[in-house]
Amino acid sequence: MAVTVALRPCSGVSPAASGTTYRRPAAAFVGWQALAPARLRLSSPAVRVPRAASSAAVEDGSSSTTDTVPTPKVIIDQDSDPDATIVEITLGDRLGDLLDTMNALKNLGLNVVKASVCLDSTGKHIKLAITKLSTGRKIADPELLEAVRLTIINNMIQYHPEASSQLALGATFGPEPPTEQVDVDIATHIDIYDDGPDRSLLVVEAADRPGLLVDLVKIIDDINITVQSGEFDTEGLLAKAKFHVSYRGKPLIKALQQVLANSLRYFLRRPTTEEASF
């Protein structure tokens, strides 16, 4: 099925003010439909991340020659559409139409049902509405969501290698690792807010790394907290997540909020230790 790509001015997408951490206030989440009654699944097999075919497949975009490389952003939004997972990709004005990326997503068993491109003062924003090919529904598996994220970042780096040094995942996929290192103690922020009569809003900011989305959901799941829906943003070296969570259909009480925050903080701040050091 052919996907029509619409070009339009951006509405509701504006450059963040200095010091602003998230795109939308927490209140914007009130009333959004949850994914499903059951918790997000963590039992799917490992998903291979397809790589871009070749740079010759780039449609109509080419890397800009300006000195300043814009901050790459990939936003996975499970809230704004009840039927599809929305992905937004931004890299200043350097992105092409990403047809190769859409083909790579199809190799994951996904269908791009709608695509749009909008322009504003920050550059080009590409939005894709994605569903599972087998069900026609939005993605509920965090491992598949992580595969989507890594696929998009991998292809972005393939066609725009200058973005490699701006992404934490550039060390994994790119020709050049990040030029800056993030202090995990400083970068890690965890906040939990009441968000209506039946859920809470968990906001996490941390240094990005492969598998982070799956790990976060697993930690939440291990405490028997239900993840209803949310948004996961990759913004340069950082990952920013918002999850709507509940415990037995109710918001998290203060004691459970503290347990969740401590568990996430321990996981995100703990140092990685090489096996050879034992």
Side-chain angles (χ1 to χ4, degrees):
M1 180 179 68
V3 178
T4 302
V5 180
L7 178 63
R8 56 181 175 78
C10 290
S11 59
V13 179
S14 59
S18 177
T20 300
T21 304
Y22 297 102
R23 292 189 310 130
R24 296 196 294 267
F29 286 92
V30 177
W32 288 115
Q33 178 180 342
L35 287 178
R39 288 197 296 273
L40 296 179
R41 294 178 294 107
L42 290 163
S43 58
S44 68
V47 183
R48 182 182 65 85
V49 177
R51 289 188 173 270
S54 75
S55 58
V58 179
E59 299 75 34
D60 65 351
S62 61
S63 297
S64 172
T65 57
T66 57
D67 293 333
T68 303
V69 179
T71 301
K73 298 180 183 179
V74 177
I75 298 170
I76 297 178
D77 178 7
Q78 291 284 73
D79 278 308
S80 61
D81 191 311
D83 302 314
T85 297
I86 305 300
V87 176
E88 181 176 337
I89 311 163
T90 306
L91 184 60
D93 60 355
R94 302 181 180 219
L95 290 176
D97 288 337
L98 297 189
L99 293 179
D100 188 77
T101 295
M102 290 193 282
N103 289 332
L105 294 174
K106 290 180 181 179
N107 291 337
L108 293 174
L110 303 173
N111 186 31
V112 179
V113 296
K114 185 168 57 177
S116 64
V117 180
C118 67
L119 301 172
D120 67 6
S121 60
T122 66
K124 181 184 292 186
H125 303 258
I126 295 179
K127 282 191 176 183
L128 307 176
I130 303 171
T131 60
K132 289 193 68 175
L133 199 58
S134 59
T135 64
R137 298 175 63 86
K138 70 196 308 176
I139 306 167
D141 182 352
E143 292 187 10
L144 188 52
L145 287 170
E146 179 70 353
V148 168
R149 184 174 81 100
L150 297 184
T151 295
I152 291 171
I153 290 174
N154 170 57
N155 280 18
M156 178 189 288
I157 291 174
Q158 291 290 317
Y159 293 132
H160 302 279
E162 72 276 11
S164 175
S165 62
Q166 303 292 313
L167 287 160
L169 298 179
T172 303
F173 294 118
E176 184 179 348
T179 54
E180 299 180 15
Q181 296 296 319
V182 175
D183 186 316
V184 293
D185 290 326
I186 296 175
T188 302
H189 301 280
I190 300 166
D191 296 289
I192 304 174
Y193 308 97
D194 291 335
D195 188 27
D198 56 0
R199 67 184 186 182
S200 300
L201 178 66
L202 168 65
V203 181
V204 180
E205 180 173 337
D208 192 21
R209 59 177 179 265
L212 181 59
L213 173 56
V214 176
D215 291 337
L216 289 176
V217 175
K218 185 178 187 305
I219 292 169
I220 299 169
D221 187 77
D222 285 345
I223 310 174
N224 294 319
I225 293 173
T226 301
V227 178
Q228 296 179 342
S229 63
E231 178 179 310
F232 192 89
D233 302 358
T234 305
E235 190 169 329
L237 303 178
L238 299 176
K240 305 173 183 180
K242 302 174 189 174
F243 295 117
H244 298 301
V245 296
S246 63
Y247 180 71
R248 297 181 178 178
K250 299 292 183 180
L252 307 188
I253 63 174
K254 294 299 182 183
L256 191 54
Q257 289 182 17
Q258 192 64 51
V259 170
L260 176 58
N262 288 344
S263 297
L264 290 170
R265 192 170 289 110
Y266 170 77
F267 170 77
L268 293 170
R269 289 181 172 177
R270 68 183 181 183
T272 56
T273 305
E274 299 292 340
E275 291 183 2
S277 65
F278 286 96

